[in-house]
Amino acid sequence: IGLTSVKRYEQEELQCDGLTVDYFANKKCYESFEIYFNAVESKNSLEFTCHFNTAIFNKETVQCWLNELEVLLRGIASNPETPVSDLPFLTEEDKKLINIKLENKGKEIETSLCIHHLFENNTVDTPDKKAITIGEESITYDKLNKNANRIANYLLKLKTRADSKVGISSKLSIEMALTMIAALKCRSTFVIIDENRTIEQIYKMIDTMDIEVAFLNRSDIGDKKRHFVNLNNILKDSKKESEIYDNLTLAQSPQTPAFCFQSENGKNELFISHKNILNLFLSMKETLVINPDDTILSVSPCLPYMLIINILFPLCTGTHHIHVNKESIGDSRSLRKTISVDNISVIQTTPSIWKQMIELGLNNYFKGKALSGGERLTPILAEKIQETGNKLWNLFGSNETSG
């Protein structure tokens, strides 16, 4: 489907002696991308067109984006010297909806929060509750917080810059959660390093992205040990109760980058701030009605952009997060037991794995909130997921498509 945000501009008259000229649009039947924006400039105007996949995006959502783009462009045209951060983009209708939501909440949204602040609040409310379970290993909110504080203070002792990048192994583990939280606590930006890369590729990534410290446990590090830190050694050296640190009180801003990843060609870096991630988390929590009583089961591959939701979202909402690898799908009896015994209320995985679970009949043992992401979700599969009474949310979007 194509949507045009402004009326088609007046075509410049084509002068041809003895020839009458008429104009018509050539209908576009195919598109290479899930969503595509195009701008065509004429002498006095611009025409914006958007083509999108209706299996992923609603017409109303895309029209809303185009309306906001129009507001932004009008703001630029009216005040070209205005900093981008101060330009308007909300329509009057958007502003009214936001004001209504704020009034209904009856309180102001805290604007100075960072991601780890939400996690720390949960350590106070439910210190002995399980935070993460991966395989046979579990850790409580209190222990996760204390160990993350140890690592964060270790980074500070290294005089890690406030804006530095900290490399984190792509291997899904409790250690990954520890290093993520620790990096955020000391105002650093974490970068996921793919453990499947060769050591030469990792060296190049560390150099090009200026990664100051990397938490990797590899035997082929060679002579560049100054970049690498063995997490087990830090925790082993900090066993004494007196060395358990309280929460750090560093001055931080929600605008601080929390996560950074490298483009496929290695030439560009994309930064995502605490504010961006928190907006996503708070929207998800409100829309999905997630509360601390929920238990979230994740069965998914470790894609960098999915790790933010897989690891950090449950920690920020106070839920218990259980992760099993995709190979566990073959053991349907064990997975069925996990769903029943642990009272799983939310399952998050990819469409491919949802399809496997349905083929094995595992969806018959689950009735709750189903989250799908990482791949395109077809309408047929969506119907099958919902057949047993599950409420489904599609988390797949344009960022993943373009990535």
Side-chain angles (χ1 to χ4, degrees):
I1 284 184
L3 283 181
T4 302
S5 62
V6 294
K7 291 182 179 179
R8 188 170 184 83
Y9 56 81
E10 291 291 333
Q11 296 281 358
E12 296 177 13
E13 188 174 346
L14 182 62
Q15 300 292 340
C16 297
D17 291 338
L19 180 66
T20 302
V21 180
D22 196 8
Y23 299 92
F24 62 94
N26 184 19
K27 186 177 179 181
K28 193 169 187 178
C29 300
Y30 301 97
E31 183 53 71
S32 303
F33 304 98
E34 303 291 4
I35 186 165
Y36 173 77
F37 290 91
N38 187 44
V40 179
E41 182 179 8
S42 70
K43 185 176 181 180
N44 299 312
S45 61
L46 284 172
E47 177 184 328
F48 290 92
T49 305
C50 175
H51 297 267
F52 61 93
N53 186 340
T54 55
I56 298 176
F57 302 100
N58 292 326
K59 179 179 178 180
E60 293 76 15
T61 300
V62 176
Q63 186 63 64
C64 179
W65 291 342
L66 291 171
N67 292 342
E68 290 171 351
L69 175 61
E70 183 176 348
V71 172
L72 178 65
L73 293 176
R74 289 184 184 278
I76 294 173
S78 302
N79 302 285
E81 302 301 322
T82 304
V84 174
S85 58
D86 296 333
L87 287 168
F89 70 92
L90 293 176
T91 64
E92 291 302 317
E93 185 178 353
D94 290 336
K95 292 177 182 177
K96 289 178 183 178
L97 288 173
I98 291 173
N99 288 333
I100 290 172
K101 285 190 175 183
L102 289 175
E103 289 171 5
N104 291 339
K105 286 185 177 180
K107 60 181 180 180
E108 293 184 0
I109 294 176
E110 179 59 61
T111 57
S112 61
L113 285 177
C114 292
I115 297 167
H116 55 281
H117 293 148
L118 293 184
F119 162 71
E120 289 168 354
N121 290 341
N122 293 322
T123 66
V124 174
D125 297 336
T126 54
D128 299 324
K129 178 180 178 178
K130 286 183 181 179
I132 301 176
T133 298
I134 299 178
E136 300 298 322
E137 189 179 6
S138 298
I139 190 168
T140 64
Y141 274 90
D142 183 60
K143 188 174 181 181
L144 182 62
N145 188 46
K146 287 177 178 177
N147 284 342
N149 286 336
R150 288 172 176 156
I151 299 165
N153 278 277
Y154 173 85
L155 290 172
L156 291 176
K157 286 180 181 178
L158 292 179
K159 297 182 179 180
T160 306
R161 302 189 313 271
D163 60 345
S164 64
K165 299 188 186 80
V166 174
I168 295 174
S169 168
S170 62
K171 184 180 179 182
L172 189 66
S173 63
I174 288 176
E175 287 74 20
M176 171 186 280
L178 285 171
T179 48
M180 274 187 183
I181 296 293
L184 298 177
K185 281 174 177 278
C186 63
R187 296 182 297 190
S188 296
T189 303
F190 68 83
V191 180
I192 305 297
I193 298 178
D194 187 355
E195 285 273 24
N196 293 320
R197 293 188 178 192
T198 65
I199 194 64
E200 289 76 17
Q201 291 172 325
I202 291 177
Y203 286 156
K204 183 177 180 181
M205 182 179 181
I206 287 174
D207 291 337
T208 56
M209 296 189 71
D210 192 23
I211 296 173
E212 194 164 334
V213 179
F215 288 95
L216 298 177
N217 186 19
R218 294 181 61 131
S219 58
D220 55 352
I221 289 174
D223 60 351
K224 293 195 176 185
K225 293 183 179 180
R226 69 180 183 85
H227 285 297
F228 299 91
V229 177
N230 189 314
L231 189 61
N232 292 329
N233 292 339
I234 300 174
L235 299 178
K236 190 185 299 180
D237 294 340
S238 304
K239 288 290 184 181
K240 295 180 181 178
E241 191 67 27
S242 60
E243 294 184 61
I244 295 178
Y245 299 90
D246 293 328
N247 290 333
L248 305 181
T249 55
L250 300 174
Q252 291 178 300
S253 165
Q255 305 294 345
T256 303
F259 173 53
C260 173
F261 64 90
Q262 197 176 46
S263 62
E264 290 293 330
N265 59 19
K267 296 181 179 180
N268 301 307
E269 295 177 7
L270 177 62
F271 291 88
I272 304 177
S273 70
H274 283 258
K275 183 178 180 181
N276 295 145
I277 296 174
L278 277 181
N279 283 342
L280 171 64
F281 286 178
L282 293 174
S283 297
M284 285 180 62
K285 182 179 179 181
E286 181 180 348
T287 304
L288 305 179
V289 195
I290 301 293
N291 59 68
D293 294 330
D294 282 310
T295 301
I296 301 177
L297 175 66
S298 293
V299 191
S300 58
C302 300
L303 302 173
Y305 46 80
M306 291 185 68
L307 287 171
I308 295 178
I309 297 177
N310 283 353
I311 298 294
L312 294 179
F313 177 65
L315 294 178
C316 288
T317 52
T319 58
H320 178 201
H321 173 218
I322 300 175
H323 185 94
V324 296
N325 57 44
K326 59 183 180 180
E327 287 75 20
S328 301
I329 296 296
D331 188 358
S332 58
R333 182 178 297 179
S334 175
L335 196 55
R336 186 169 67 233
K337 182 179 178 182
T338 298
I339 293 172
S340 302
V341 174
D342 292 297
N343 296 317
I344 302 298
S345 54
V346 182
I347 293 182
Q348 175 189 327
T349 188
T350 62
S352 298
I353 296 176
W354 271 118
K355 184 178 179 181
Q356 285 182 264
M357 292 175 67
I358 290 171
E359 290 172 350
L360 293 170
L362 290 170
N363 59 315
N364 295 321
Y365 299 90
F366 171 71
K367 186 175 181 181
K369 299 160 189 172
L371 311 183
S372 176
E375 303 164 5
R376 181 190 170 195
L377 176 67
T378 64
I380 294 174
L381 182 58
E383 288 179 9
K384 289 183 178 180
I385 294 173
Q386 297 174 89
E387 279 179 357
T388 53
N390 297 317
K391 293 183 178 179
L392 173 66
W393 282 269
N394 185 6
L395 303 181
F396 182 73
S398 55
N399 266 357
E400 294 169 300
T401 304
S402 61

